[in-house]
Amino acid sequence: MFLRIDRLAVELPRPKEADPNAAAAVQELLGGRFGEMSTLMNYTYQSFNFRGREKLRPYYDLLVNIATEELGHIELVAATINLLLEGSTRPGAPETAPLAVAKDLRNTHHFIATGQAALVGNSMGAPWSGDYVFSSGNLVLDLLHNFFLECGARLQKIRVYEMTTNPVAREMIGYLLVRGGVHVLAYARALETLTGVEVARMLPIPDIDNSKFPEARKFEAMGIHRKLYRLSPDDFREVARIWKGTAPDGGQLEVVDGAPEGGPVPELAEVPESFVPGIDPGELQELARKLASA
């Protein structure tokens, strides 16, 4: 089972204006091959399919905790896309073509398929695919794949960061660079305990430190790069047998019980020109009256 909290993993700034082309680029970090949908579903299915769980409990607990955090990451990236799209168009009668601006934007799918909101797809509009999920059943191979996946995801986050100066996108990417760094180190540590190979000596990939990014530097100053969240009231405690010892920066690695403090989920305005949510103010008042009297 899963426990859900009505907050984002981190607070996002409210945009000053719409930036739909930045939203199109950020889509890669949600539904691309190395996006958050892929990290979520890879680790989730590896945990579903895990054999010898009790004998190998620390590795199972590691997969489960990281997979659960990735649920929050797809929520965070989707919220970023939604904020970047907000205000892209203005209300108007259908004959005035109120969505005309969208035909010249990078991803018209945002305006046709979802009502100006996130897609389960990449930056070119192609849908995310279950073929991106690797779950071989071999523990070392799966962990090695996960290490590679996190490194590839980090590279693409940095490239998207370099595409846009939008503060909403950069805040989200800065946070995920730090959290992705935790995950890649966690998989490296797990592989080292299983094989004796010092996988972490290859880090960081690409060879640029998170401190080069102001938004990531802020989160590292808070010590978030040394924390692994145990996202369960009572279970999955043996992850601490892997996530322990000294961090690359000399601090101590720490398993934190519970979720990060996070920030509010943004309230998204209605988009009447896209018929979203499609309930007029009079109907909304009547619906509220019925719910209050139920």
Side-chain angles (χ1 to χ4, degrees), residues 174-240:
Y175 178 77
L176 290 188
L177 282 173
V178 174
R179 295 309 302 160
V182 169
H183 297 168
V184 72
L185 180 60
Y187 288 128
R189 290 288 181 98
L191 285 163
E192 287 167 13
T193 64
L194 284 166
T195 68
V197 176
E198 295 183 61
V199 182
R201 293 182 65 180
M202 292 191 290
L203 298 175
I205 301 173
D207 190 12
I208 179 172
D209 194 81
N210 282 344
S211 64
K212 299 293 185 182
F213 305 94
E215 296 81 4
R217 189 164 60 242
K218 173 181 65 177
F219 292 116
E220 287 200 340
M222 299 163 61
I224 290 175
H225 61 303
R226 295 190 293 267
K227 301 180 188 294
L228 187 69
Y229 298 108
R230 190 183 64 81
L231 296 164
S232 172
D234 301 302
D235 301 318
F236 314 122
R237 295 182 181 278
E238 291 198 33
V239 68

Side-chain angles (χ1 to χ4, degrees), residues 140-173:
V140 173
L141 186 56
D142 283 351
L143 292 173
L144 187 60
H145 168 270
N146 297 352
F147 176 83
F148 161 76
L149 180 60
E150 288 286 353
C151 290
R154 183 172 188 272
L155 174 63
Q156 293 199 350
K157 288 182 181 74
I158 291 171
R159 287 173 173 170
V160 174
Y161 182 97
E162 292 179 328
M163 287 181 182
T164 176
T165 59
N166 190 289
V168 186
R170 285 196 161 187
E171 186 78 0
M172 178 273 293
I173 295 171

Side-chain angles (χ1 to χ4, degrees), residues 1 3 12 30 68 84 113 125 161 179 181 204 212 216 229 254 259 267 278:
M1 295 186 289
L3 176 68
L12 294 173
L30 179 58
T68 306
L84 293 171
Y161 182 97
R179 295 309 302 160
K212 299 293 185 182
Y229 298 108
E254 176 188 7
E267 175 74 18

Side-chain angles (χ1 to χ4, degrees), residues 13-25:
R14 201 81 191 188
K16 294 182 179 179
E17 59 185 15
D19 195 346
N21 285 332

Side-chain angles (χ1 to χ4, degrees), residues 35-217:
E36 300 301 316
M37 276 294 300
S38 289
T39 52
L40 165 66
M41 298 308 288
N42 272 272
Y43 312 154
T44 297
Y45 272 87
Q46 289 171 14
S47 70
F48 288 167
N49 300 339
F50 200 100
R51 295 181 184 272
R53 185 178 63 195
E54 292 311 316
K55 292 181 180 179
L56 298 165
R57 170 61 71 168
Y59 303 99
Y60 174 73
D61 286 8
L62 179 70
L63 279 171
V64 167
N65 279 300
I66 296 179
T68 306
E69 183 177 358
E70 297 292 357
L71 272 169
H73 288 182
I74 63 169
E75 180 183 37
L76 181 63
V77 180
T80 301
I81 294 166
N82 291 342
L83 286 173
L84 293 171
L85 288 168
E86 192 169 45
S88 296
T89 60
R90 295 288 182 269
E95 67 270 19
T96 66
L99 302 183
V101 65
K103 68 179 173 56
D104 297 319
L105 297 175
R106 276 269 291 104
N107 196 336
T108 56
H109 217 52
H110 279 145
F111 299 84
I112 298 170
T114 67
Q116 302 186 39
L119 301 162
V120 190
N122 66 16
S123 59
M124 299 302 291
W128 182 84
S129 172
D131 286 342
Y132 298 159
V133 175
F134 183 88
S135 179
S136 73
N138 181 285
L139 180 57
V140 173
L141 186 56
D142 283 351
L143 292 173
L144 187 60
H145 168 270
N146 297 352
F147 176 83
F148 161 76
L149 180 60
E150 288 286 353
C151 290
R154 183 172 188 272
L155 174 63
Q156 293 199 350
K157 288 182 181 74
I158 291 171
R159 287 173 173 170
V160 174
Y161 182 97
E162 292 179 328
M163 287 181 182
T164 176
T165 59
N166 190 289
V168 186
R170 285 196 161 187
E171 186 78 0
M172 178 273 293
I173 295 171
Y175 178 77
L176 290 188
L177 282 173
V178 174
R179 295 309 302 160
V182 169
H183 297 168
V184 72
L185 180 60
Y187 288 128
R189 290 288 181 98
L191 285 163
E192 287 167 13
T193 64
L194 284 166
T195 68
V197 176
E198 295 183 61
V199 182
R201 293 182 65 180
M202 292 191 290
L203 298 175
I205 301 173
D207 190 12
I208 179 172
D209 194 81
N210 282 344
S211 64
K212 299 293 185 182
F213 305 94
E215 296 81 4
R217 189 164 60 242

